[in-house]
Amino acid sequence: MTQHLADALTSDSGLPTTTGTRPGWWREAVIYQVYPRSFADSNGDGMGDLEGIRSRLPYLKELGVDAVWLSPFYASPQADAGYDVADYRAIDPMFGTLHDADAVIREAHGLGLRIIVDLVPNHCSDQHEWFKQALREGPGTPLRERFHFRPGQGADGSEPPNDWESIFGGPAWTRVPDGEWYLHLFAPEQPDFNWEHPAVQDEFRSILRFWLDLGADGFRIDVAHGLVKAPGLPDLGRDEQLKLLGNQVLPFFDQDGVHEIYRSWRKVLDEYAGDRIGVAEAWTPSADRTALYLRPDELHQAFNFHYLSTGWDAVALRATIDDSLDSMRPVGAPTTWVLSNHDVVRHRTRFGSLERARAAALLMLALPGSAYVYQGEELGLPEVTDLPDEVRQDPSFFKENGQEGLRDGCRVPIPWSGDQAPYGFGDGGSWLPQPAEWAGLSVEAQTGDPASTLELYRAALRIRRERGDLGAGDAVEWLEAPEGVLAFRRGDFVCTVNTTGEPVRMTPPGTVLLASGDAADPADPGVLGADTAVWWQG
């Protein structure tokens, strides 16, 4: 180990522990998700990497975000884009080395940015040493107890132990040569850990400390709701295809036993200075269930998937905003707001237009709490819907009865510069092809253009930083507004959002600070344009 890395293993982030006047930087932070393989390629192999990320950190600082969440970069066979981890303490060579990870963390801290790393505790890779050893040792041996191995049903054990389906399609069980079956809620290459086993719990507390010692400011916890399964692994008892991202009540999701795990993790996080945090990817049946993950002795944030799943409708959006704020308030946790990520269709395409996507961004950034921005949404990137089958890599795409298999469309490498692919992503092409029309959506093409989506995000994030009444707090004051329009006040700030396809006349609540689009009549501020959001100084 070099002295540089040894120093890193004992370093603190050195960053302030508060944002504005509220304790806890995460309460009103804007966090940018980097999908490493699609962000920036430094070595020309067509795949993004850690050095590429490090080189683009100044861009994220200029954009105005507070923290960066890195999707997995661990050693992995890449059966599920790195969410099948073979070694939680090593970097996959396609992304670089542990020294590269250290450099990203250190340089980010030097720019005043925090780093959140992705942690995948529900399952590992079938190439993880524990699982390979469990296969070698055979039935009834101690290593098998760290996973869910079971005998099959039927006279010859040829039927799966229960009727659970994989999220990616097909049975959630795979049989091994000695006759036993193992559980995998996702791909067969992703065996589920048995979180009832103390060795699993000990191992992940050690993994937490490894990355905290390296300087990580927190963890995004993949499938945080899935670690504990119902006792006895009962049959689902119904013919229902599971959803990758949904709120179904299921015997392997959102079991109450997960909360004791996160209480033990919170103790580890609290051992470290600098407000290190845990962020739950928890798909639950309701916002109230999500709030349970955020009690004062558990995690700090959870993704607000109820908001992400809400359509472009004023009534529905207001109801979700109220429900989200009301649910988080009793546990004292900030609400999070998110429009896109690496698992869902980009919101420009979901909402049907760039105008709606721009308006949705201003709405999200005006709400109290923490906001998440997925790489490329600040460029107004649409979903890539016409990828040829031969380039797709989403494992669910290859299952006959799996999900839509279209997650690759939101993972296409983002454009940085130039008028031809790969648009500055790297010198060796890109692992997924980029559309020709992305030349006009690159960072270079949009920088300095006041009408561009990138400059809209930069302006919104600058205003949000400058104003103490944005981000802070846990409530909004709704104002009277025409049908199809959202209007709320926060101190002397007002946000209005027209979700209709027609201009709407209303009394101007102040002076315009920022607008997502032009009014129907620029000379008449009393007209709120179709699918437009406006920030006002009240």
Side-chain angles (χ1 to χ4, degrees):
M1 180 183 293
T2 66
Q3 185 60 47
H4 177 57
L5 185 55
D7 291 343
L9 294 177
T10 58
S11 68
D12 189 278
S13 71
L15 293 168
T17 59
T18 60
T19 301
T21 59
R22 295 289 302 276
W25 62 269
W26 69 90
R27 289 188 172 275
E28 54 204 75
V30 177
I31 300 172
Y32 186 98
Q33 180 188 358
V34 165
Y35 193 69
R37 58 171 54 204
S38 299
F39 192 64
D41 171 22
S42 71
N43 60 7
D45 65 356
M47 188 71 67
D49 47 46
L50 288 168
E51 174 58 23
I53 294 169
R54 189 197 62 77
S55 71
R56 297 293 187 176
L57 288 173
Y59 164 77
L60 299 179
K61 175 65 175 179
E62 182 185 5
L63 180 62
V65 301
D66 302 295
V68 181
W69 153 32
L70 302 176
S71 291
F73 46 71
Y74 307 108
S76 166
Q78 303 295 318
D80 183 22
Y83 282 92
D84 52 316
V85 180
D87 187 341
Y88 291 85
R89 298 177 181 83
I91 308 301
D92 195 281
M94 69 188 296
F95 297 125
T97 67
L98 193 59
H99 291 281
D100 295 324
D102 171 44
V104 169
I105 294 171
R106 283 178 170 266
E107 186 147 336
H109 288 169
L111 291 169
L113 297 169
R114 298 177 189 269
I115 294 290
I116 296 171
V117 297
D118 219 312
L119 189 64
V120 189
N122 178 71
H123 48 263
C124 63
S125 167
D126 61 356
Q127 298 305 302
H128 190 285
E129 191 55 43
W130 278 11
F131 190 75
K132 292 194 295 183
Q133 187 175 349
L135 290 181
R136 290 194 299 267
E137 292 189 357
T141 54
L143 261 293
R144 290 215 170 179
E145 296 177 4
R146 298 180 183 181
F147 302 91
H148 294 280
F149 279 92
R150 297 288 188 277
Q153 298 190 83
D156 58 356
S158 62
E159 297 296 321
N162 67 20
D163 65 357
W164 292 2
E165 291 284 308
S166 163
I167 302 298
F168 289 155
W173 297 89
T174 290
R175 198 177 194 186
V176 300
D178 58 41
E180 284 200 328
W181 299 72
Y182 68 89
L183 176 67
H184 53 86
L185 292 182
F186 293 86
E189 297 89 348
Q190 295 169 288
D192 278 42
F193 284 114
N194 173 17
W195 272 88
E196 303 294 332
H197 199 292
V200 175
Q201 300 188 27
D202 289 345
E203 171 68 356
F204 273 89
R205 283 191 290 265
S206 174
I207 292 167
L208 291 175
R209 290 189 175 97
F210 177 87
W211 288 101
L212 290 167
D213 287 342
L214 200 65
D217 297 290
F219 302 90
R220 178 267 189 185
I221 303 161
D222 184 63
V223 195
H225 57 304
L227 277 54
V228 174
K229 280 65 175 175
L233 309 185
D235 281 343
L236 193 58
R238 59 185 186 271
D239 183 16
E240 179 181 357
Q241 173 58 45
L242 307 179
K243 299 297 184 183
L244 175 63
L245 305 174
N247 58 2
Q248 296 150 294
V249 177
L250 299 165
F252 43 76
F253 281 163
D254 194 34
Q255 300 294 304
D256 289 338
V258 298
H259 298 291
E260 192 58 40
I261 295 168
Y262 297 131
R263 290 187 185 98
S264 74
W265 286 21
R266 179 59 178 263
K267 292 177 182 177
V268 174
L269 292 168
D270 287 348
E271 293 172 8
Y272 291 79
D275 282 343
R276 318 296 179 95
I277 71 168
V279 183
E281 182 205 31
W283 289 85
T284 68
S286 68
D288 287 339
R289 289 292 300 181
T290 301
L292 296 179
Y293 291 76
L294 308 178
R295 287 173 287 195
D297 60 346
E298 293 191 43
L299 302 174
H300 300 76
Q301 286 186 348
F303 292 116
N304 189 346
F305 293 121
H306 305 289
Y307 184 74
L308 183 150
S309 303
T310 302
W312 188 243
D313 176 83
V315 174
L317 284 165
R318 176 169 174 169
T320 299
I321 291 167
D322 282 340
D323 187 39
S324 300
L325 293 169
D326 290 346
S327 297
M328 295 300 111
R329 202 172 293 118
V331 296
T335 305
T336 65
W337 312 101
V338 59
L339 294 168
S340 289
N341 65 29
H342 65 291
D343 280 330
V344 301
V345 172
R346 286 187 176 274
H347 67 273
R348 170 177 172 175
T349 300
R350 289 202 325 271
F351 290 156
S353 71
L354 177 59
E355 290 74 22
R356 289 179 175 179
R358 289 164 57 94
L362 289 197
L363 170 59
M364 175 182 75
L365 293 172
L367 293 168
S370 179
Y372 280 78
V373 174
Y374 178 51
Q375 66 176 44
E377 76 172 70
E378 80 277 14
L379 304 177
L381 296 185
E383 185 81 359
V384 181
T385 58
D386 58 353
L387 289 171
D389 290 356
E390 59 268 22
V391 305
R392 292 188 179 277
Q393 298 191 25
D394 184 348
S396 69
F397 179 76
F398 304 98
K399 298 288 188 178
E400 291 183 2
N401 63 336
Q403 305 300 311
E404 293 83 354
L406 299 179
R407 292 184 298 165
D408 293 315
C410 64
R411 300 175 178 183
V412 174
I414 65 173
W416 291 96
S417 60
D419 56 8
Q420 292 184 338
Y423 307 115
F425 171 69
D427 295 331
S430 60
W431 68 281
L432 288 173
Q434 301 152 302
E437 58 268 24
W438 279 19
L441 296 178
S442 71
V443 172
E444 180 182 62
Q446 296 195 45
T447 294
D449 178 1
S452 72
T453 301
L454 176 58
E455 294 298 348
L456 177 72
Y457 270 77
R458 285 172 170 164
L461 291 171
R462 182 181 64 253
I463 294 170
R464 182 181 166 104
R465 287 196 309 275
E466 292 170 351
R467 299 185 61 97
D469 48 0
L470 287 181
D474 59 8
V476 299
E477 176 192 351
W478 293 107
L479 305 176
E480 290 291 330
E483 183 177 356
V485 174
L486 293 170
F488 59 86
R489 179 183 299 276
R490 306 192 54 226
D492 61 354
F493 169 90
V494 174
C495 178
T496 58
V497 186
N498 179 6
T499 67
T500 75
E502 300 294 334
V504 173
R505 177 167 292 281
M506 60 183 298
T507 303
T511 303
V512 174
L513 288 172
L514 186 64
S516 67
D518 293 332
D521 181 357
D524 185 354
V527 175
L528 185 61
D531 292 320
T532 297
V534 179
W535 287 3
W536 309 82
Q537 174 74 46

